[in-house]
Amino acid sequence: MDETKQAAAPATSMPTTYDPKESEKKWYDYWLKGGYFQAGQRKDAKPYTIVIPPPNVTGMLHIGHALDFTLQDIMIRTKRMQGYDALWLPGSDHAGIATQTKVEQKLREEGVTRYDLGREKFLEKVWEWKEHYAGTIREQWAKMGFSLDYSRERFTLDAGLSKAVREVFVRLYEKGLIYRGKYIINWDPAARTALSDIEVEYKEVQGALYHLKYPVKDSDEYIVVATTRPETMLGDTAVAVHPEDERYKHLIGKTLVLPIIGREIPIIADEYVEKEFGSGAVKITPAHDPNDFEVGKRHDLPQVLVMDESGTMNANAGKYQGLDRFDCRKQIVADMKELGVLIKIEEHVHQVGHSERSGAVVEPYLSTQWFVKMKPLAERAVEAQKSAQGVHFVPDRFEKIYLHWIENVRDWCISRQLWWGHRIPAWYCGDCSEIIVSREDATVCPKCGGTHLKQDEDVLDTWFSSALWPFSTLGWPEQTEDMKRYYPTDLLVTGYDIIYFWVARMIFSGLEFTDSIPFKDVLIHGLVRDAEGRKMSKSLGNGVDPLEVIEKYGADAMRFMISTGSTPGQDLRFRWEKVEQARNFANKIWNASRFALMNLGDFKVSDIDLSGELGTADRWILHRLNETVRDVTRLIDAYEFGETGRLLYNFIWDDLCDWYIEFSKLSLYGNDEAAKKTTKSVLAYVLDRTQRLIHPFMPFISEEIWQHLPHEGETITLAAWPAFEARFEAPEAVREMELLMDIIRTVRNIRAEVNVPMSKKVDLLVKPAGAEFLAILQRNEEYVRRFCNTSSLEINLELTSPDKAMTGIVTGAELYLPLAGLIDIAQEIARLEKELGTLHNEVARIEKKLSNQGFIAKAPAKVIEEEKAKLADYADKRDKVNARLAELKG
């Protein structure tokens, strides 16, 4: 590609208004065609890598994705311009249960179930769904301007990633870190699959606590137990008491008769029971409670499962077989009342687990599943984090959250009773019951030579493959060129809600399989909430579609608002008016650039000359640009995008547009050709660097403007990031400009105070505070004349305050505007006296209202406070008018 290629677009061809729709598609197509996003073209450059958190192929991207991905794009575009070999690797996640649920819902609407179709046909339907939504996601990426390397796009069920998943499973199995066993797991009866602990959402539910009498066999005694789930009593295999509880010592080892069922169960002693809590006796249901499961193992108790996978009572439930678990609860409570064993029912608010995916109440359920033994993996991750090898969390408070979870992690249930996902690479021999775990599909049993093998029906938890994403996407387990060059990655950007789900699992997986952390930095952002701070949801109808925002205001406005609207780790409130402000900012940049380009004419890069005599405003804007380059670079490296946005906004809107461009008109419209060329050089240079600085945030408009500016190269995407240049340091120019701006602002404020329009010329007397300030004002006298619009200007160290003049004080000078040249004094006195009368009346009216005890007694506190605020405001205005009248009459 030709790095010296000069754009041919003439300045005057720039439209009067910026059209995001026309510009965005044009430039994105141009970038793709040029291959500018493709990594690997700078062989000698230092690599910089981000792998995208893969969106689920369950639907379209939402505003949270827009935030997450925009922050990544800012970093990748910045690093690319800084000369790095920058790779931003795109991809999507099959999302297991979430996607399967969506497809099953769609099929149900058509009157079909997955069982009607069978596994193979059902998976064809899911692949169709995936292709549709992966394409939609790609279109959304394009509309938001993301500079992704599509040549390296990945999907978690790609052949290469599937190979990595099998390799990891087999290695962990061979090390004894994957095992299969019966265990109490979280079961989703709606989706009919196991869930990991972090796929369960706990919600506060108004329930009941049922107190039941369990009679002691051949005795008049009984033990009282309490439960929130009376239907599980059908699976009770013991009642436990504390071994030192004097109330029950004589009963330990005796037998209870389980009401309704009539099954005899032992009374056991276990320190798990809290003597002081409730009756001090606990029913033990090993197949339906994780704590009871552990107690049961210690006492070798039977495990009686009383439900099936759909939450329906099974044959072990006796006469309740076939009832839904909640219907069974109602029936058992009624039967207990009739038998006289239900002592009481108490209202009870408690936390109940719900499936994050289906919303169903989760059932603790005894099931044969596959697990990862987490302790050895977690220990290594903790050790790494507490050493120099640890991941850098931004903000750092999230490191504690990560460590707390991983230090207390339980074994991970990785099998899911689904069809969509990575099928577990385990085969069962029908001849000798051997379990074969293999990298390749097994066809012969290595133990008995039998060929009657059947693969496990289950698939792996979707987070199992996601945990490998930073290295599986780069070709692992092969040592590919990409793996060698781009791993470990540099940055992960993600929300705080998936630190446990994903971040922790990627870290321990990276350490286990690559002997390295998978990323150096983890930038944590918050959620995007609505303007009132509520979480966005379908039920509230307050969600925001990023494409709707783009359609209305353009991608750059959305990107700038969403990326600069919060600080790391904090939630962001989405406000439409903020997007509108960002759109207005884009228009300001456009209009300023268009003005400059109309005056640059056929100015070329080779014409830019900053070595000549620079005026105060020229030196000041170059100094301010230099400061902005330094600070923006530092802040982006610290991921402080909100502060970066504020600096860019202030520099472009205030310094460049409102001040320098106005000052530039003096030379641009003057007859001094040398000064005119210098101003053109400064304008061209500063605008070019400004577009580069804003480009990561607003890629489309910056490219459009840059292509019209004098420039070298094919695209701003590959233009060099601006560097701090010591030659532009000019603190003395800053002092001079601050004096000039203070004078101009003060004169304009005085004009506004006495209602004198800017179009009317005024007399201005300036008394400098010393020789230094006199020299500054004499050098820049023309700026003062032009922007204060003076009919006469006197700058003199010996000035005395004239009679009847408005006075302004700034650092370095006193300003006097004789009233005779400003206003008709008699007319102004009459106007102010009329205004004073109105203000007197308003003050008296509100004072009377506030002294009325009836009003004070009945009015809401808010109304009273509002009236007090009005009174203070009117009184303040009255005092100012009085002071002004005294000055005028003086």
Side-chain angles (χ1 to χ4, degrees):
M1 117 190 6
D2 182 4
E3 289 295 328
T4 61
K5 184 177 177 183
Q6 177 94 24
T12 50
S13 70
M14 204 167 162
T16 52
T17 56
Y18 175 60
D19 180 1
K21 290 178 187 173
E22 187 274 332
S23 184
E24 288 166 5
K25 183 170 188 336
K26 174 180 72 178
W27 290 119
Y28 203 77
D29 290 346
Y30 177 78
W31 294 329
L32 290 183
K33 188 177 178 183
Y36 303 131
F37 302 157
Q38 195 165 331
Q41 299 180 66
R42 296 168 169 173
K43 301 296 182 187
D44 299 327
K46 187 178 177 181
Y48 182 88
T49 316
I50 300 175
V51 291
I52 202 166
N56 296 342
V57 289
T58 47
M60 298 174 70
L61 302 180
H62 53 67
I63 199 72
H65 289 115
L67 168 63
D68 192 276
F69 299 162
T70 298
L71 299 183
Q72 294 169 65
D73 197 32
I74 289 168
M75 291 307 303
I76 215 77
R77 284 183 182 272
T78 302
K79 294 300 177 183
R80 191 182 288 122
M81 294 173 79
Q82 288 175 343
Y84 287 82
D85 177 17
L87 168 61
W88 188 15
L89 190 148
S92 51
D93 196 327
H94 68 281
I97 187 173
T99 305
Q100 178 160 320
T101 300
K102 290 275 189 183
V103 177
E104 287 198 77
Q105 283 172 354
K106 186 169 180 286
L107 288 174
R108 273 198 298 275
E109 290 166 10
E110 299 167 8
V112 180
T113 70
R114 63 169 156 143
Y115 302 103
D116 296 331
L117 294 177
R119 188 168 193 143
E120 193 175 323
K121 291 287 184 186
F122 174 74
L123 289 178
E124 286 177 13
K125 292 285 185 186
V126 190
W127 275 105
E128 287 172 15
W129 176 283
K130 177 265 173 186
E131 290 303 323
H132 172 75
Y133 279 102
T136 301
I137 287 167
R138 229 171 274 125
E139 289 170 11
Q140 289 181 288
W141 283 338
K143 284 187 179 293
M144 289 186 254
F146 298 145
S147 58
L148 294 152
D149 184 349
Y150 292 102
S151 70
R152 289 174 167 86
E153 187 175 354
R154 298 288 183 265
F155 178 57
T156 45
L157 285 174
D158 284 350
L161 276 71
S162 296
K163 181 181 179 182
V165 167
R166 276 209 181 182
E167 181 67 28
V168 165
F169 189 97
V170 173
R171 285 196 198 180
L172 290 175
Y173 182 78
E174 289 172 348
K175 285 181 76 171
L177 295 179
I178 279 184
Y179 63 93
R180 186 171 183 259
K182 274 195 168 186
Y183 204 80
I184 287 282
I185 47 90
N186 301 300
W187 184 262
D188 181 337
R192 298 194 188 189
T193 183
L195 302 171
S196 66
D197 290 346
I198 50 181
E199 288 172 304
V200 179
E201 291 180 318
Y202 286 91
K203 300 177 184 177
E204 200 169 81
V205 171
Q206 176 67 58
L209 193 60
Y210 302 89
H211 296 261
L212 311 174
K213 284 196 299 188
Y214 281 23
V216 178
K217 184 182 177 184
D218 301 329
S219 165
D220 293 333
E221 290 186 85
Y222 58 84
I223 289 179
V224 176
V225 297
T227 180
T228 58
R229 299 189 299 152
E231 67 278 10
T232 63
M233 67 157 289
L234 304 172
D236 287 356
T237 55
V239 165
V241 296
H242 194 278
E244 294 174 7
D245 193 331
E246 294 296 333
R247 293 171 294 175
Y248 300 116
K249 269 191 173 181
H250 67 291
L251 293 176
I252 293 171
K254 293 193 174 182
T255 303
L256 293 168
V257 178
L258 192 60
I260 298 176
I261 296 293
R263 185 169 66 243
E264 295 183 5
I265 58 174
I267 301 168
I268 62 172
D270 196 285
E271 291 184 350
Y272 158 71
V273 181
E274 296 178 43
K275 285 189 292 183
E276 295 76 21
F277 185 76
S279 67
V282 179
K283 62 191 278 302
I284 304 297
T285 320
H288 290 277
D289 183 279
N291 295 314
D292 295 2
F293 176 77
E294 297 297 337
V295 174
K297 282 204 297 185
R298 288 197 289 274
H299 295 270
D300 199 24
L301 296 174
Q303 298 164 338
V304 180
L305 198 62
V306 297
M307 294 176 204
D308 65 18
E309 295 177 351
S310 68
T312 302
M313 308 310 289
N314 64 19
N316 290 330
K319 68 176 184 176
Y320 303 104
Q321 183 177 0
L323 287 179
D324 171 79
R325 54 185 168 154
F326 298 118
D327 292 335
C328 177
R329 179 180 300 175
K330 291 175 188 171
Q331 189 58 53
I332 279 186
V333 169
D335 291 349
M336 289 284 196
K337 278 183 183 174
E338 193 175 326
L339 285 171
V341 294
L342 178 63
I343 297 173
K344 63 177 176 177
I345 303 174
E346 288 180 307
E347 286 191 358
H348 180 62
V349 176
H350 59 139
Q351 296 286 324
V352 176
H354 289 72
S355 167
E356 187 204 39
R357 302 301 185 186
S358 71
V361 172
V362 168
E363 189 65 44
Y365 192 76
L366 183 65
S367 178
T368 301
Q369 302 286 342
W370 290 89
F371 296 87
V372 174
K373 196 178 290 182
M374 285 301 305
K375 193 176 179 185
L377 299 170
E379 282 173 349
R380 185 172 181 188
V382 171
E383 184 184 339
Q385 194 60 31
K386 292 181 177 178
S387 72
Q389 196 187 1
V391 172
H392 174 223
F393 283 84
V394 181
D396 58 10
R397 69 178 183 272
F398 288 103
E399 180 182 17
K400 290 180 183 175
I401 294 171
Y402 159 71
L403 278 172
H404 175 76
W405 181 78
I406 207 158
E407 284 172 342
N408 296 280
V409 72
R410 288 169 41 177
D411 284 1
W412 173 17
C413 176
I414 56 170
S415 46
R416 297 290 180 270
Q417 289 63 54
L418 305 170
W419 290 352
W420 174 244
H422 293 98
R423 199 160 169 185
I424 289 173
W427 287 260
Y428 306 103
C429 178
D431 298 321
C432 71
S433 302
E434 179 73 356
I435 299 176
I436 304 110
V437 169
S438 171
R439 290 172 177 82
E440 307 299 330
D441 287 0
T443 54
V444 178
C445 175
K447 185 176 180 182
C448 72
T451 56
H452 299 103
L453 304 184
K454 185 180 180 184
Q455 188 176 358
D456 196 304
E457 293 285 332
D458 292 350
V459 299
L460 289 163
D461 177 10
T462 187
W463 297 103
F464 191 91
S465 52
S466 300
L468 319 180
W469 184 253
F471 52 91
S472 64
T473 51
L474 294 170
W476 187 92
E478 308 303 326
Q479 269 302 306
T480 62
E481 289 305 312
D482 275 5
M483 185 70 190
K484 284 186 253 183
R485 181 160 179 75
Y486 299 110
Y487 186 86
T489 68
D490 290 272
L491 173 66
L492 175 76
V493 180
T494 190
Y496 56 64
D497 51 335
I498 56 171
I499 292 175
Y500 308 149
F501 278 104
W502 193 42
V503 178
R505 286 171 173 167
M506 284 190 287
I507 294 172
F508 69 65
S509 298
L511 287 165
E512 176 68 18
F513 298 104
T514 70
D515 208 31
S516 169
I517 56 170
F519 24 73
K520 299 179 184 78
D521 291 353
V522 177
L523 172 61
I524 303 291
H525 60 75
L527 303 176
V528 182
R529 298 183 177 274
D530 71 7
E532 296 173 36
R534 299 174 302 175
K535 190 173 180 179
M536 292 185 178
S537 68
K538 285 182 181 177
S539 59
L540 290 173
N542 62 345
V544 175
D545 179 357
L547 296 191
E548 182 188 349
V549 184
I550 291 169
E551 179 68 23
K552 197 168 182 182
Y553 293 108
D556 289 327
M558 184 200 72
R559 288 171 59 116
F560 190 79
M561 177 269 168
I562 204 167
S563 60
T564 63
S566 71
T567 54
Q570 298 299 311
D571 290 346
L572 164 75
R573 291 194 180 193
F574 182 93
R575 291 186 172 94
W576 283 101
E577 60 269 25
K578 291 286 186 184
V579 190
E580 191 169 346
Q581 286 174 17
R583 191 271 315 273
N584 294 344
F585 179 46
N587 288 342
K588 185 84 168 180
I589 299 170
W590 181 264
N591 292 333
S593 302
R594 189 168 183 276
F595 162 81
L597 287 161
M598 287 171 67
N599 286 281
L600 287 174
D602 57 359
F603 208 70
K604 299 184 290 295
V605 171
S606 56
D607 295 326
I608 295 175
D609 182 7
L610 301 175
S611 63
E613 186 178 345
L614 298 170
T616 298
D618 300 324
R619 287 180 292 122
W620 170 75
I621 197 65
L622 289 168
H623 177 96
R624 284 291 299 117
L625 172 67
N626 220 25
E627 288 183 318
T628 305
V629 166
R630 178 196 64 205
D631 293 340
V632 163
T633 304
R634 172 181 56 81
L635 289 166
I636 287 178
D637 281 344
Y639 311 117
E640 291 285 355
F641 302 115
E643 187 62 13
T644 305
R646 188 188 65 81
L647 281 181
L648 286 170
Y649 187 95
N650 290 345
F651 172 73
I652 294 170
W653 192 292
D654 297 337
D655 298 346
L656 180 58
C657 298
D658 286 356
W659 287 105
Y660 182 74
I661 284 179
E662 289 304 310
F663 275 34
S664 74
K665 291 175 183 177
L666 284 180
S667 53
L668 289 174
Y669 298 162
N671 297 318
D672 185 333
E673 292 303 318
K676 192 178 290 188
K677 183 178 181 184
T678 296
T679 299
K680 286 183 178 182
S681 295
V682 172
L683 263 179
Y685 182 87
V686 173
L687 274 171
D688 171 88
R689 267 52 182 183
T690 300
Q691 299 317 308
R692 298 184 198 210
L693 288 176
I694 203 74
H695 175 70
F697 295 85
M698 297 176 133
F700 293 113
I701 195 170
S702 56
E703 181 77 88
E704 184 75 50
I705 293 170
W706 190 81
Q707 291 287 353
H708 284 86
L709 285 169
H711 71 274
E712 290 178 344
E714 296 177 18
T715 173
I716 194 172
T717 302
L718 300 182
W721 185 254
F724 181 87
E725 297 188 61
R727 64 180 174 139
F728 293 145
E729 285 295 274
E732 75 289 345
V734 174
R735 286 194 295 274
E736 290 189 22
M737 272 299 287
E738 283 175 351
L739 174 60
L740 296 174
M741 290 189 294
D742 277 353
I743 290 171
I744 293 164
R745 272 192 291 257
T746 302
V747 170
R748 287 176 176 176
N749 288 341
I750 291 171
R751 283 173 170 275
E753 195 177 329
V754 293
N755 299 312
V756 174
M758 278 303 299
S759 57
K760 182 177 179 179
K761 289 186 177 295
V762 296
D763 296 330
L764 177 61
L765 309 174
V766 182
K767 182 181 181 180
E772 178 192 356
F773 294 107
L774 174 64
I776 291 171
L777 289 167
Q778 287 175 334
R779 278 198 302 273
N780 296 284
E781 186 175 331
E782 189 56 35
Y783 288 130
V784 179
R785 288 186 184 279
R786 166 70 178 79
F787 294 104
C788 293
N789 195 18
T790 62
S791 51
S792 68
L793 171 64
E794 183 181 353
I795 303 170
N796 193 325
L797 289 169
E798 306 302 325
L799 274 175
T800 56
S801 173
D803 291 336
K804 292 188 177 176
M806 295 293 286
T807 304
I809 307 295
V810 298
T811 303
E814 294 176 34
L815 314 176
Y816 306 107
L817 280 80
L819 289 174
L822 283 178
I823 56 174
D824 181 320
I825 295 174
Q827 190 179 32
E828 181 66 2
I829 287 172
R831 186 187 71 80
L832 288 173
E833 283 180 336
K834 184 179 178 183
E835 186 177 341
L836 184 64
T838 302
L839 291 169
H840 271 311
N841 291 338
E842 287 299 321
V843 168
R845 181 182 64 81
I846 298 176
E847 282 178 340
K848 185 178 178 182
K849 183 186 268 190
L850 290 173
S851 65
N852 183 337
Q853 291 306 310
F855 171 75
I856 296 295
K858 293 178 183 177
K862 184 182 177 185
V863 172
I864 294 170
E865 289 306 313
E866 286 172 355
E867 290 299 315
K868 285 180 179 178
K870 283 182 195 174
L871 177 62
D873 183 47
Y874 284 131
D876 180 57
K877 287 177 180 174
R878 180 191 61 186
D879 294 344
K880 284 179 178 173
V881 170
N882 259 326
R884 185 85 188 97
L885 277 167
E887 189 177 289
L888 288 172
K889 290 174 179 178

